[in-house]
Amino acid sequence: MRTIRVETSAATILLTEAPEPKVRDRQSGEIAKDAVSGEALMTIGVVYIEEGESSLIKVTVPESGVSEGLALGAPVSLPGLVARPWESVFNGQQRHGIAFRAAAVTPAAFPAALGATA
């Protein structure tokens, strides 16, 4: 399926869930791996805020892309963020959604307030 680049320069992104291994198979506990590199994948939770609207999303990042110094509630940057629509049939039920993936998650700064003066 097609991936869609997500422009994040006008957004505030806050970390809401610490990185944890992405589980491929809940029965066996198998950790998901990148199809190309074989690297373990991690998931994080973020709140994505732009133009007064917010969404809670899960983002997959490679384990090597998880930076030190991440703190819950703090702003983060998600370089290379893409969205990929998906659909599947599970137990006879049609399911669909959007999967988010980034090259990394790094600490960021809160954006300066528009019109603020020092």
Side-chain angles (χ1 to χ4, degrees), residues 13-17 44-48 55-57 59 76 78:
I13 305 169
L14 305 175
L15 187 66
T16 59
E17 294 178 31
I44 59 166
V46 299
V47 61
Y48 184 96
S55 298
L56 289 168
I57 62 173
V59 180
V76 293
L78 297 171

Side-chain angles (χ1 to χ4, degrees), residues 31-79:
I31 302 302
K33 307 264 185 204
D34 181 271
V36 175
S37 70
E39 183 176 3
L41 297 173
M42 307 291 282
T43 60
I44 59 166
V46 299
V47 61
Y48 184 96
I49 307 165
E50 186 175 22
E51 296 181 5
E53 300 283 326
S54 65
S55 298
L56 289 168
I57 62 173
K58 293 270 192 181
V59 180
T60 299
V61 296
E63 189 172 32
S64 65
V66 177
S67 295
E68 295 293 323
L70 298 174
L72 292 179
V76 293
S77 175
L78 297 171

